[in-house]
Amino acid sequence: MRLSTQKRLAADVMNVGLTRVWIDPAFEDEVSLAITKNDIRRLVDEGAIQARQKQGVSRGRARFRKHQIRKGQRKGPGGKKGKNTAVLSKKDRWMMKIRPMRKELKKLRTDGKITSRVYRDLYLKAKGNAFRNTGHIKTYITERKLGAK
């Protein structure tokens, strides 16, 4: 028995697509007699015709990806988007580099390991990006024997 007309009318009444219209097999005879939209509305109210649930996109893959990222995976060059400055700005990166160096230089000066003149010289060198990190400053001092006498 063809119920294509009833399906079309039901889709129109329920404001869904044809594929989402479900007709209860037990009520097929009754549905086949329905020829007006009012008949279809009555059958929808009775539950003989129903709209199937909308099919969504599975979140399973997204959840798995999120789990992997939390574990620290998917961090390679292929998984990155944007420039390096998108994560940390140049200024922030510079501040994270220079602050410990300046702190270390102050500590060395207060401990009397370097003189004020050497401190000033190293401070300006650090400002000019001559050192990579605090360890580099220490090796620079020992190699050039800049420690206070």
Side-chain angles (χ1 to χ4, degrees):
M1 156 179 354
R2 281 180 60 235
L3 302 172
S4 54
T5 310
Q6 285 80 356
K7 241 186 181 178
R8 181 180 52 76
L9 288 170
D12 207 29
V13 166
M14 294 188 291
N15 201 19
V16 296
L18 280 169
T19 53
R20 281 185 58 200
V21 174
W22 176 79
I23 297 170
D24 192 340
F27 289 89
E28 274 185 0
D29 297 332
E30 202 175 326
V31 172
S32 66
L33 298 173
I35 53 171
T36 66
K37 279 190 176 180
N38 275 338
D39 294 342
I40 298 293
R41 279 190 196 97
R42 185 178 49 78
L43 289 166
V44 168
D45 291 340
E46 286 175 14
I49 301 174
Q50 295 172 12
R52 283 199 186 101
Q53 197 171 5
K54 218 173 198 174
Q55 197 164 24
V57 180
S58 170
R59 294 265 322 144
R61 289 182 303 278
R63 278 193 291 270
F64 177 74
R65 194 178 309 115
K66 192 175 183 183
H67 180 63
Q68 293 290 82
I69 288 166
R70 280 188 178 158
K71 286 199 296 186
Q73 295 180 353
R74 306 178 79 97
K75 295 267 187 183
K80 291 184 178 169
K81 290 181 180 178
K83 287 180 150 187
N84 289 337
T85 52
V87 179
L88 267 180
S89 69
K90 285 180 183 176
K91 183 173 182 175
D92 285 338
R93 188 166 285 145
W94 170 252
M95 288 191 307
M96 285 171 70
K97 181 179 175 179
I98 197 71
R99 283 176 179 173
M101 285 197 239
R102 286 178 175 165
K103 197 173 182 183
E104 184 65 28
L105 286 171
K106 282 181 191 134
K107 188 168 158 275
L108 290 169
R109 184 184 59 184
T110 53
D111 292 351
K113 292 186 178 154
I114 56 171
T115 61
S116 293
R117 188 165 282 177
V118 171
Y119 166 81
R120 179 52 39 194
D121 184 45
L122 294 175
Y123 187 96
L124 292 172
K125 275 186 169 39
K127 184 182 177 183
N129 203 20
F131 305 117
R132 292 184 299 275
N133 48 39
T134 53
H136 191 199
I137 292 174
K138 288 176 186 172
T139 53
Y140 183 88
I141 292 168
T142 52
E143 282 173 3
R144 289 177 178 65
K145 299 183 180 84
L146 297 173
K149 272 98 184 158

